Amino acid sequence: MFIQTEQTPNPATLKFIPGREVLKEGSVDFPNAEAALGKSPLAERLFEIEGVSGVFFGHDFITVTKAEDKEWYVMKPSILGVIMEHFTAGQPVLSGEAEAETAKAGAASEDDDEIVVQIKELLETRVRPAVAQDGGDIIFHGFEEGIVYLTLQGACAGCPSSTVTLKMGIENMLRHYIPEVVEVRQTMG
């Protein structure tokens, strides 16, 4: 098994690409070790590595965030070892319950009005692939009085350029296609 690594715009986060599916659909963010308990055997093992402060799973990648006082060259071999061991042993990435939760998060529902459906469609087709390139994901939380509420996850969460991404990229694109959108705001989940 060969695992590629890629730098992300966030220097504290590294993207690991195991060359196989990590999640069937959606994404999962574990901002701390407690969030992973009982939900992901892989994330639990990654948090056992000294200096790991966040774990994020996308469709075909894993991003790991490190503590400021740690160095990648020290941590990377341990992280690669855990990922390789986990997939080689054929263990699940998520527990069954956590997998079910992931499948329903963010999907368009029949209750959504036309504008929300358009927003979710643009996020899914135009934004999500770009943020996934950088090792992250974007979660839609709502649309009220012209304001779209989103959360950036994974490498994008603490990235120095995340505000620019939200305001200049996503906000401008949504306003261009959907005149009812006035602003995009970051929420913390």
Side-chain angles (χ1 to χ4, degrees):
M1 179 177 188
F2 178 71
I3 302 170
Q4 291 179 288
T5 58
E6 286 181 8
Q7 291 184 321
T8 70
N10 182 348
T13 304
L14 204 55
K15 184 176 175 182
F16 294 83
I17 306 163
R20 58 180 62 187
E21 183 178 87
V22 176
L23 292 180
K24 284 190 189 346
E25 56 186 336
S27 63
V28 185
D29 190 29
F30 298 106
N32 54 49
E34 294 75 43
L37 286 176
K39 292 186 177 170
S40 171
L42 177 54
E44 285 180 27
R45 292 213 34 227
L46 288 168
F47 276 113
E48 290 172 6
I49 298 168
E50 186 180 343
V52 171
S53 64
V55 175
F56 177 84
F57 299 136
H59 173 69
D60 60 355
F61 66 90
I62 299 161
T63 55
V64 176
T65 304
K66 69 173 185 68
E68 275 185 47
D69 61 339
K70 301 298 177 193
E71 296 296 333
W72 281 121
Y73 73 89
V74 175
M75 297 175 63
K76 197 170 155 182
S78 300
I79 294 168
L80 288 166
V82 165
I83 293 170
M84 187 173 296
E85 208 173 276
H86 188 87
F87 282 109
T88 304
Q91 297 176 340
V93 172
L94 298 176
S95 69
E97 190 178 303
E99 197 165 350
E101 287 174 25
T102 306
K104 40 181 203 210
S109 76
E110 293 175 15
D111 301 336
D112 291 344
D113 69 17
E114 192 179 323
I115 294 169
V116 171
V117 169
Q118 289 178 335
I119 292 168
K120 285 183 176 181
E121 176 72 18
L122 282 168
L123 292 174
E124 189 63 38
T125 59
R126 303 260 179 138
V127 179
R128 183 163 274 136
V131 224
Q133 272 311 121
D134 288 340
D137 198 6
I138 189 156
I139 307 299
F140 174 83
H141 289 287
F143 175 70
E144 281 178 41
E145 298 175 16
I147 301 169
V148 178
Y149 295 92
L150 304 171
T151 301
L152 289 168
Q153 294 183 321
C156 302
C159 178
S161 60
S162 64
T163 305
V164 174
T165 299
L166 270 178
K167 289 293 180 190
M168 303 310 286
I170 300 168
E171 183 178 290
N172 286 346
M173 186 211 38
L174 289 176
R175 287 170 59 186
H176 174 78
Y177 288 107
I178 307 167
E180 293 84 352
V181 172
V182 178
E183 182 184 356
V184 170
R185 288 192 193 159
Q186 164 95 339
T187 63
M188 294 304 154

PDB file of all heavy atoms in Angstrom, residues 4 6 15 22 26 41 54 61-63 72 74 78 94 105 109 122 125 128 131 133 137 145 154 158 167 173 188:
ATOM      1  N   GLN A   4       0.108   8.572  -0.375  1.00  0.00           N
ATOM      2  CA  GLN A   4       0.676   9.864  -0.770  1.00  0.00           C
ATOM      3  C   GLN A   4       0.359  10.897   0.306  1.00  0.00           C
ATOM      4  O   GLN A   4      -0.664  10.798   0.994  1.00  0.00           O
ATOM      5  CB  GLN A   4       0.052  10.341  -2.076  1.00  0.00           C
ATOM      6  CG  GLN A   4       0.421   9.533  -3.287  1.00  0.00           C
ATOM      7  CD  GLN A   4      -0.273  10.101  -4.511  1.00  0.00           C
ATOM      8  OE1 GLN A   4      -1.476   9.970  -4.660  1.00  0.00           O
ATOM      9  NE2 GLN A   4       0.498  10.760  -5.371  1.00  0.00           N
ATOM     10  N   GLU A   6       0.152  15.247   0.843  1.00  0.00           N
ATOM     11  CA  GLU A   6       0.147  16.545   0.168  1.00  0.00           C
ATOM     12  C   GLU A   6       0.060  17.627   1.219  1.00  0.00           C
ATOM     13  O   GLU A   6      -0.671  17.496   2.203  1.00  0.00           O
ATOM     14  CB  GLU A   6      -1.084  16.691  -0.739  1.00  0.00           C
ATOM     15  CG  GLU A   6      -1.040  15.903  -2.005  1.00  0.00           C
ATOM     16  CD  GLU A   6      -2.292  16.134  -2.867  1.00  0.00           C
ATOM     17  OE1 GLU A   6      -3.115  17.022  -2.542  1.00  0.00           O
ATOM     18  OE2 GLU A   6      -2.435  15.405  -3.854  1.00  0.00           O
ATOM     19  N   LYS A  15      -2.400  16.382   4.281  1.00  0.00           N
ATOM     20  CA  LYS A  15      -3.388  15.518   3.632  1.00  0.00           C
ATOM     21  C   LYS A  15      -2.737  14.180   3.291  1.00  0.00           C
ATOM     22  O   LYS A  15      -1.683  14.147   2.664  1.00  0.00           O
ATOM     23  CB  LYS A  15      -3.896  16.217   2.366  1.00  0.00           C
ATOM     24  CG  LYS A  15      -4.983  15.504   1.614  1.00  0.00           C
ATOM     25  CD  LYS A  15      -5.439  16.376   0.429  1.00  0.00           C
ATOM     26  CE  LYS A  15      -6.430  15.701  -0.458  1.00  0.00           C
ATOM     27  NZ  LYS A  15      -6.813  16.548  -1.599  1.00  0.00           N
ATOM     28  N   VAL A  22     -11.998   6.209   1.572  1.00  0.00           N
ATOM     29  CA  VAL A  22     -11.988   6.368   3.026  1.00  0.00           C
ATOM     30  C   VAL A  22     -13.435   6.377   3.522  1.00  0.00           C
ATOM     31  O   VAL A  22     -13.784   5.653   4.444  1.00  0.00           O
ATOM     32  CB  VAL A  22     -11.241   7.660   3.445  1.00  0.00           C
ATOM     33  CG1 VAL A  22     -11.310   7.873   4.947  1.00  0.00           C
ATOM     34  CG2 VAL A  22      -9.784   7.597   2.977  1.00  0.00           C
ATOM     35  N   GLY A  26     -20.014  11.886   1.982  1.00  0.00           N
ATOM     36  CA  GLY A  26     -19.903  12.887   3.024  1.00  0.00           C
ATOM     37  C   GLY A  26     -18.484  13.029   3.545  1.00  0.00           C
ATOM     38  O   GLY A  26     -17.519  12.619   2.909  1.00  0.00           O
ATOM     39  N   PRO A  41     -12.578   3.997  14.865  1.00  0.00           N
ATOM     40  CA  PRO A  41     -11.377   3.320  15.338  1.00  0.00           C
ATOM     41  C   PRO A  41     -10.096   3.940  14.753  1.00  0.00           C
ATOM     42  O   PRO A  41      -9.091   4.062  15.450  1.00  0.00           O
ATOM     43  CB  PRO A  41     -11.535   1.880  14.853  1.00  0.00           C
ATOM     44  CG  PRO A  41     -12.946   1.732  14.406  1.00  0.00           C
ATOM     45  CD  PRO A  41     -13.492   3.102  14.161  1.00  0.00           C
ATOM     46  N   GLY A  54      -6.254  17.110  15.406  1.00  0.00           N
ATOM     47  CA  GLY A  54      -7.495  17.040  14.645  1.00  0.00           C
ATOM     48  C   GLY A  54      -7.374  16.003  13.536  1.00  0.00           C
ATOM     49  O   GLY A  54      -6.288  15.796  12.993  1.00  0.00           O
ATOM     50  N   PHE A  61      -9.479  10.744   1.180  1.00  0.00           N
ATOM     51  CA  PHE A  61      -8.325  11.311   1.870  1.00  0.00           C
ATOM     52  C   PHE A  61      -8.588  11.461   3.368  1.00  0.00           C
ATOM     53  O   PHE A  61      -9.722  11.420   3.830  1.00  0.00           O
ATOM     54  CB  PHE A  61      -7.928  12.663   1.271  1.00  0.00           C
ATOM     55  CG  PHE A  61      -8.961  13.748   1.469  1.00  0.00           C
ATOM     56  CD1 PHE A  61      -8.932  14.556   2.592  1.00  0.00           C
ATOM     57  CD2 PHE A  61      -9.947  13.953   0.525  1.00  0.00           C
ATOM     58  CE1 PHE A  61      -9.890  15.546   2.778  1.00  0.00           C
ATOM     59  CE2 PHE A  61     -10.912  14.946   0.697  1.00  0.00           C
ATOM     60  CZ  PHE A  61     -10.875  15.741   1.832  1.00  0.00           C
ATOM     61  N   ILE A  62      -7.497  11.637   4.098  1.00  0.00           N
ATOM     62  CA  ILE A  62      -7.529  11.878   5.542  1.00  0.00           C
ATOM     63  C   ILE A  62      -6.661  13.104   5.772  1.00  0.00           C
ATOM     64  O   ILE A  62      -5.534  13.163   5.258  1.00  0.00           O
ATOM     65  CB  ILE A  62      -6.919  10.681   6.309  1.00  0.00           C
ATOM     66  CG1 ILE A  62      -7.717   9.406   6.030  1.00  0.00           C
ATOM     67  CG2 ILE A  62      -6.834  10.970   7.804  1.00  0.00           C
ATOM     68  CD1 ILE A  62      -6.957   8.127   6.348  1.00  0.00           C
ATOM     69  N   THR A  63      -7.161  14.097   6.487  1.00  0.00           N
ATOM     70  CA  THR A  63      -6.275  15.197   6.849  1.00  0.00           C
ATOM     71  C   THR A  63      -6.047  15.133   8.348  1.00  0.00           C
ATOM     72  O   THR A  63      -6.949  14.838   9.127  1.00  0.00           O
ATOM     73  CB  THR A  63      -6.819  16.590   6.461  1.00  0.00           C
ATOM     74  OG1 THR A  63      -8.106  16.777   7.004  1.00  0.00           O
ATOM     75  CG2 THR A  63      -6.888  16.777   4.977  1.00  0.00           C
ATOM     76  N   TRP A  72       6.208  18.008  11.521  1.00  0.00           N
ATOM     77  CA  TRP A  72       5.722  16.952  10.640  1.00  0.00           C
ATOM     78  C   TRP A  72       6.737  15.835  10.457  1.00  0.00           C
ATOM     79  O   TRP A  72       6.389  14.668  10.415  1.00  0.00           O
ATOM     80  CB  TRP A  72       5.306  17.511   9.281  1.00  0.00           C
ATOM     81  CG  TRP A  72       3.962  18.169   9.307  1.00  0.00           C
ATOM     82  CD1 TRP A  72       3.672  19.462   8.988  1.00  0.00           C
ATOM     83  CD2 TRP A  72       2.715  17.576   9.691  1.00  0.00           C
ATOM     84  NE1 TRP A  72       2.330  19.694   9.159  1.00  0.00           N
ATOM     85  CE2 TRP A  72       1.716  18.555   9.588  1.00  0.00           C
ATOM     86  CE3 TRP A  72       2.351  16.307  10.127  1.00  0.00           C
ATOM     87  CZ2 TRP A  72       0.386  18.313   9.884  1.00  0.00           C
ATOM     88  CZ3 TRP A  72       1.019  16.055  10.429  1.00  0.00           C
ATOM     89  CH2 TRP A  72       0.055  17.046  10.308  1.00  0.00           C
ATOM     90  N   VAL A  74       8.705  14.531  12.410  1.00  0.00           N
ATOM     91  CA  VAL A  74       8.684  13.618  13.553  1.00  0.00           C
ATOM     92  C   VAL A  74       7.391  12.790  13.560  1.00  0.00           C
ATOM     93  O   VAL A  74       7.415  11.590  13.818  1.00  0.00           O
ATOM     94  CB  VAL A  74       8.805  14.411  14.889  1.00  0.00           C
ATOM     95  CG1 VAL A  74       8.671  13.482  16.083  1.00  0.00           C
ATOM     96  CG2 VAL A  74      10.109  15.183  14.934  1.00  0.00           C
ATOM     97  N   SER A  78       4.757   7.940  12.001  1.00  0.00           N
ATOM     98  CA  SER A  78       3.769   7.289  12.880  1.00  0.00           C
ATOM     99  C   SER A  78       2.373   7.334  12.266  1.00  0.00           C
ATOM    100  O   SER A  78       1.631   6.354  12.311  1.00  0.00           O
ATOM    101  CB  SER A  78       3.733   7.961  14.250  1.00  0.00           C
ATOM    102  OG  SER A  78       4.985   7.879  14.865  1.00  0.00           O
ATOM    103  N   LEU A  94     -15.257   4.088  10.223  1.00  0.00           N
ATOM    104  CA  LEU A  94     -16.260   4.591  11.166  1.00  0.00           C
ATOM    105  C   LEU A  94     -17.028   3.427  11.773  1.00  0.00           C
ATOM    106  O   LEU A  94     -17.189   2.379  11.136  1.00  0.00           O
ATOM    107  CB  LEU A  94     -17.270   5.497  10.458  1.00  0.00           C
ATOM    108  CG  LEU A  94     -16.753   6.778   9.817  1.00  0.00           C
ATOM    109  CD1 LEU A  94     -17.881   7.481   9.084  1.00  0.00           C
ATOM    110  CD2 LEU A  94     -16.134   7.691  10.848  1.00  0.00           C
ATOM    111  N   ALA A 105     -26.115  13.744   6.542  1.00  0.00           N
ATOM    112  CA  ALA A 105     -25.716  15.138   6.755  1.00  0.00           C
ATOM    113  C   ALA A 105     -25.548  15.871   5.429  1.00  0.00           C
ATOM    114  O   ALA A 105     -24.913  15.375   4.516  1.00  0.00           O
ATOM    115  CB  ALA A 105     -24.408  15.184   7.533  1.00  0.00           C
ATOM    116  N   SER A 109     -33.060  18.111   1.144  1.00  0.00           N
ATOM    117  CA  SER A 109     -34.264  17.432   1.613  1.00  0.00           C
ATOM    118  C   SER A 109     -35.489  18.048   0.958  1.00  0.00           C
ATOM    119  O   SER A 109     -35.422  19.133   0.380  1.00  0.00           O
ATOM    120  CB  SER A 109     -34.371  17.528   3.142  1.00  0.00           C
ATOM    121  OG  SER A 109     -34.787  18.818   3.526  1.00  0.00           O
ATOM    122  N   LEU A 122     -24.906  24.292  -5.811  1.00  0.00           N
ATOM    123  CA  LEU A 122     -23.660  24.993  -6.143  1.00  0.00           C
ATOM    124  C   LEU A 122     -22.526  24.578  -5.210  1.00  0.00           C
ATOM    125  O   LEU A 122     -21.385  24.382  -5.648  1.00  0.00           O
ATOM    126  CB  LEU A 122     -23.867  26.512  -6.075  1.00  0.00           C
ATOM    127  CG  LEU A 122     -24.582  27.126  -7.267  1.00  0.00           C
ATOM    128  CD1 LEU A 122     -24.981  28.562  -6.972  1.00  0.00           C
ATOM    129  CD2 LEU A 122     -23.697  27.079  -8.503  1.00  0.00           C
ATOM    130  N   THR A 125     -21.429  20.995  -6.350  1.00  0.00           N
ATOM    131  CA  THR A 125     -20.781  20.841  -7.655  1.00  0.00           C
ATOM    132  C   THR A 125     -19.571  21.747  -7.856  1.00  0.00           C
ATOM    133  O   THR A 125     -18.620  21.367  -8.528  1.00  0.00           O
ATOM    134  CB  THR A 125     -21.781  21.104  -8.798  1.00  0.00           C
ATOM    135  OG1 THR A 125     -22.306  22.429  -8.665  1.00  0.00           O
ATOM    136  CG2 THR A 125     -22.908  20.094  -8.789  1.00  0.00           C
ATOM    137  N   ARG A 128     -17.394  22.157  -3.082  1.00  0.00           N
ATOM    138  CA  ARG A 128     -16.887  20.972  -2.384  1.00  0.00           C
ATOM    139  C   ARG A 128     -15.668  20.339  -3.068  1.00  0.00           C
ATOM    140  O   ARG A 128     -14.691  20.027  -2.407  1.00  0.00           O
ATOM    141  CB  ARG A 128     -18.008  19.955  -2.195  1.00  0.00           C
ATOM    142  CG  ARG A 128     -17.558  18.731  -1.412  1.00  0.00           C
ATOM    143  CD  ARG A 128     -18.699  17.936  -0.866  1.00  0.00           C
ATOM    144  NE  ARG A 128     -19.093  18.503   0.412  1.00  0.00           N
ATOM    145  CZ  ARG A 128     -20.338  18.713   0.783  1.00  0.00           C
ATOM    146  NH1 ARG A 128     -21.328  18.390  -0.016  1.00  0.00           N
ATOM    147  NH2 ARG A 128     -20.612  19.222   1.958  1.00  0.00           N
ATOM    148  N   VAL A 131     -12.579  22.525  -2.268  1.00  0.00           N
ATOM    149  CA  VAL A 131     -12.144  22.478  -0.858  1.00  0.00           C
ATOM    150  C   VAL A 131     -11.555  21.099  -0.547  1.00  0.00           C
ATOM    151  O   VAL A 131     -10.622  20.994   0.233  1.00  0.00           O
ATOM    152  CB  VAL A 131     -13.280  22.794   0.132  1.00  0.00           C
ATOM    153  CG1 VAL A 131     -12.850  23.714   1.222  1.00  0.00           C
ATOM    154  CG2 VAL A 131     -14.485  23.395  -0.484  1.00  0.00           C
ATOM    155  N   GLN A 133      -9.793  19.353  -2.598  1.00  0.00           N
ATOM    156  CA  GLN A 133      -8.416  19.407  -3.111  1.00  0.00           C
ATOM    157  C   GLN A 133      -7.463  19.865  -2.023  1.00  0.00           C
ATOM    158  O   GLN A 133      -6.333  19.413  -1.948  1.00  0.00           O
ATOM    159  CB  GLN A 133      -8.307  20.436  -4.239  1.00  0.00           C
ATOM    160  CG  GLN A 133      -8.574  20.035  -5.635  1.00  0.00           C
ATOM    161  CD  GLN A 133      -7.882  18.793  -6.109  1.00  0.00           C
ATOM    162  OE1 GLN A 133      -8.566  17.892  -6.490  1.00  0.00           O
ATOM    163  NE2 GLN A 133      -6.574  18.701  -6.134  1.00  0.00           N
ATOM    164  N   ASP A 137     -13.607  20.251   3.759  1.00  0.00           N
ATOM    165  CA  ASP A 137     -14.980  20.145   3.289  1.00  0.00           C
ATOM    166  C   ASP A 137     -15.740  21.380   3.737  1.00  0.00           C
ATOM    167  O   ASP A 137     -15.261  22.160   4.567  1.00  0.00           O
ATOM    168  CB  ASP A 137     -15.652  18.881   3.849  1.00  0.00           C
ATOM    169  CG  ASP A 137     -16.907  18.480   3.060  1.00  0.00           C
ATOM    170  OD1 ASP A 137     -17.198  19.098   2.013  1.00  0.00           O
ATOM    171  OD2 ASP A 137     -17.596  17.552   3.494  1.00  0.00           O
ATOM    172  N   GLU A 145     -32.552  35.403   5.732  1.00  0.00           N
ATOM    173  CA  GLU A 145     -32.500  36.826   5.406  1.00  0.00           C
ATOM    174  C   GLU A 145     -31.289  37.178   4.531  1.00  0.00           C
ATOM    175  O   GLU A 145     -30.576  38.137   4.787  1.00  0.00           O
ATOM    176  CB  GLU A 145     -32.494  37.660   6.694  1.00  0.00           C
ATOM    177  CG  GLU A 145     -33.757  37.455   7.518  1.00  0.00           C
ATOM    178  CD  GLU A 145     -33.721  38.184   8.849  1.00  0.00           C
ATOM    179  OE1 GLU A 145     -32.882  39.094   9.030  1.00  0.00           O
ATOM    180  OE2 GLU A 145     -34.535  37.842   9.703  1.00  0.00           O
ATOM    181  N   GLY A 154     -11.779  20.325   8.306  1.00  0.00           N
ATOM    182  CA  GLY A 154     -10.518  19.728   7.884  1.00  0.00           C
ATOM    183  C   GLY A 154      -9.436  20.777   7.769  1.00  0.00           C
ATOM    184  O   GLY A 154      -9.342  21.676   8.601  1.00  0.00           O
ATOM    185  N   GLY A 158      -8.749  25.846   9.972  1.00  0.00           N
ATOM    186  CA  GLY A 158      -7.819  26.781  10.591  1.00  0.00           C
ATOM    187  C   GLY A 158      -6.899  27.453   9.598  1.00  0.00           C
ATOM    188  O   GLY A 158      -5.912  28.069   9.968  1.00  0.00           O
ATOM    189  N   LYS A 167     -15.256  34.646   1.735  1.00  0.00           N
ATOM    190  CA  LYS A 167     -15.754  35.937   1.264  1.00  0.00           C
ATOM    191  C   LYS A 167     -15.549  36.156  -0.233  1.00  0.00           C
ATOM    192  O   LYS A 167     -16.486  36.478  -0.952  1.00  0.00           O
ATOM    193  CB  LYS A 167     -15.071  37.080   2.039  1.00  0.00           C
ATOM    194  CG  LYS A 167     -15.522  37.164   3.479  1.00  0.00           C
ATOM    195  CD  LYS A 167     -16.968  37.578   3.527  1.00  0.00           C
ATOM    196  CE  LYS A 167     -17.475  37.688   4.941  1.00  0.00           C
ATOM    197  NZ  LYS A 167     -18.913  37.867   4.990  1.00  0.00           N
ATOM    198  N   MET A 173     -19.350  33.808  -5.716  1.00  0.00           N
ATOM    199  CA  MET A 173     -19.967  32.849  -6.635  1.00  0.00           C
ATOM    200  C   MET A 173     -21.466  32.699  -6.335  1.00  0.00           C
ATOM    201  O   MET A 173     -22.288  32.755  -7.242  1.00  0.00           O
ATOM    202  CB  MET A 173     -19.291  31.479  -6.528  1.00  0.00           C
ATOM    203  CG  MET A 173     -19.826  30.542  -7.576  1.00  0.00           C
ATOM    204  SD  MET A 173     -19.873  28.804  -7.155  1.00  0.00           S
ATOM    205  CE  MET A 173     -20.333  28.717  -5.491  1.00  0.00           C
ATOM    206  N   MET A 188     -19.316  27.927  13.571  1.00  0.00           N
ATOM    207  CA  MET A 188     -18.398  26.950  14.154  1.00  0.00           C
ATOM    208  C   MET A 188     -19.076  25.616  14.400  1.00  0.00           C
ATOM    209  O   MET A 188     -18.899  24.983  15.405  1.00  0.00           O
ATOM    210  CB  MET A 188     -17.800  27.484  15.463  1.00  0.00           C
ATOM    211  CG  MET A 188     -16.923  28.671  15.265  1.00  0.00           C
ATOM    212  SD  MET A 188     -15.610  28.304  14.102  1.00  0.00           S
ATOM    213  CE  MET A 188     -15.231  29.901  13.461  1.00  0.00           C
TER     214      MET A 188
END
